Amino acid sequence: MGLKVYINGELVPREEAKVSVFDHGFLYGDGVFEGIRAYNGKLFTPKEHIDRLYASAAAIELKIPLSKEKLEAAVMKTLQANNLTDAYIRAVVSRGEGTLGLNPRLCEKPNVIIITDSIKLYPQELYDRGMEVVTVSTIRNHPNALDPRIKSLNYLNNILAKIEGLNAGVMEAIMLNGQGHVAECTGDNIFIVCKGTLITPPRSAGILEGITRNAVMCMARDEGIPVLEENMTRYDLFTADECFLTGTAAEVIAVVKIDGRPVADGTPGPITRKLLACFRKLTRG
Ligand code: PMP
């Protein structure tokens, strides 16, 4: 049985899961999305993801045509229709079909789409040994232009940074903001450990407030690890004792090299390994 995709209330085979070329999501990246994980048949922090989806939509004045409860039920229905218990779920709400002009008011009906997949973002080897990243020259979107808190369908800022990373031979790239402070990676938040303290850029650095980021900060506090949300520069990255990334798809993954420089001794550090284990336990029991 092939993959079934949810489109506006219906579950259709993947080949039939299509939207109009006049959808402003396609023409202009006008829409919002979420990536949600299911572990053991249960959604991980569904409320946080659904609230963020509705907040992103509100920020672009897009009204999602169903309640939060109905949307969560639709996600579960799609998961079950695909016989998936452990999955990555993509929920997309696009502005819908309109004209070739920009005017979103001419788009009558948003498209609500739910796609499920069994992907794992990085190979297991990277989880064991840690990954290499680089800082790139593409700066993160200025919050007064397109706030990174909006998880919009326009990911070109991140894609440009990703291309720089790929050209440098790595899978993830660190973006700075206009002030030269570390913001986040193309699809993950970033943490460093400095003298036993966990530090991550504050929301004001212009980041997506990651749900995994928040979960990891809570876990760390529960473990008695001090946590700070503080601006950092490349100096802080280069002098850190440990570094790791967080994201719904990536979960928690160690960074062992930044711009060709090993982080400390170049192996995943003890706090990173501890938090990785805690996160595995939290999600997989
Ligand atoms: N930053 C960006 C730009 C992202 O796309 C993501 C992935 N959604 C994250 C951070 C991590 O957020 P979360 O933990 O909520 O998946």
Side-chain angles (χ1 to χ4, degrees):
M1 197 192 66
L3 184 79
K4 288 213 165 56
V5 175
Y6 173 102
I7 302 192
N8 303 319
E10 276 182 67
L11 284 161
V12 303
R14 117 179 237 146
E15 308 75 50
E16 290 163 36
K18 291 181 178 148
V19 292
S20 164
V21 294
F22 291 96
D23 189 313
H24 279 205
F26 174 69
L27 288 174
Y28 294 117
D30 185 356
V32 295
F33 76 100
E34 265 307 317
I36 312 171
R37 277 293 272 267
Y39 297 100
N40 241 319
K42 269 185 68 185
L43 299 177
F44 179 67
T45 56
K47 184 180 181 319
E48 284 80 352
H49 282 286
I50 286 171
D51 283 351
R52 188 170 68 182
L53 181 71
Y54 281 71
S56 292
I60 67 163
E61 209 178 86
L62 169 65
K63 183 148 176 26
I64 299 178
L66 68 171
S67 68
K68 289 183 179 180
E69 292 71 29
K70 288 238 164 77
L71 187 81
E72 186 175 336
V75 168
M76 284 309 294
K77 191 171 111 175
T78 312
L79 205 57
Q80 282 152 8
N82 286 291
N83 279 319
L84 289 167
T85 50
D86 292 279
Y88 177 84
I89 301 143
R90 175 63 54 90
V92 180
V93 185
S94 69
R95 188 75 69 181
E97 198 172 333
T99 67
L100 288 182
L102 289 179
N103 192 348
R105 306 256 157 91
L106 298 177
C107 304
E108 282 180 11
K109 200 170 118 313
N111 279 313
V112 180
I113 293 155
I114 302 164
I115 312 167
T116 52
D117 197 357
S118 46
I119 65 147
K120 199 156 191 163
L121 188 60
Y122 300 119
Q124 182 57 39
E125 195 207 342
L126 284 185
Y127 288 90
D128 301 334
R129 289 215 232 133
M131 71 191 298
E132 184 175 346
V133 302
V134 293
T135 58
V136 294
S137 62
T138 301
I139 62 166
R140 189 71 178 108
N141 279 335
H142 192 287
N144 290 347
L146 177 55
D147 199 316
R149 279 186 291 184
I150 303 172
K151 204 165 165 54
S152 89
L153 292 183
N154 190 324
Y155 250 50
L156 265 182
N157 180 225
N158 313 54
I159 290 166
L160 290 174
K162 177 91 180 181
I163 289 169
E164 283 193 75
L166 292 173
N167 287 344
V170 299
M171 308 263 285
E172 184 54 292
I174 302 170
M175 303 173 82
L176 310 180
N177 64 22
Q179 280 83 52
H181 292 137
V182 174
E184 60 180 334
C185 291
T186 68
D188 298 302
N189 290 112
I190 185 164
F191 286 82
I192 58 170
V193 176
C194 206
K195 297 190 181 73
T197 298
L198 194 57
I199 312 172
T200 194
R203 274 170 291 189
S204 59
I207 59 168
L208 182 78
E209 197 183 342
I211 288 158
T212 321
R213 168 187 182 271
N214 291 349
V216 165
M217 288 198 294
C218 281
M219 267 172 14
R221 290 192 176 110
D222 288 347
E223 293 295 318
I225 301 162
V227 182
L228 283 180
E229 289 175 74
E230 210 168 64
N231 277 320
M232 53 174 97
T233 63
R234 292 199 331 150
Y235 170 89
D236 300 294
L237 299 177
F238 297 152
T239 56
D241 299 322
E242 301 182 31
C243 180
F244 64 85
L245 311 181
T246 63
T248 292
E251 303 185 325
V252 179
I253 187 159
V255 169
V256 291
K257 215 182 229 188
I258 305 174
D259 292 342
R261 307 173 184 216
V263 176
D265 70 355
T267 64
I271 292 183
T272 302
R273 279 187 278 120
K274 166 120 216 151
L275 292 172
L276 205 147
C278 286
F279 192 79
R280 284 268 152 98
K281 201 164 161 221
L282 180 70
T283 54
R284 291 160 175 91

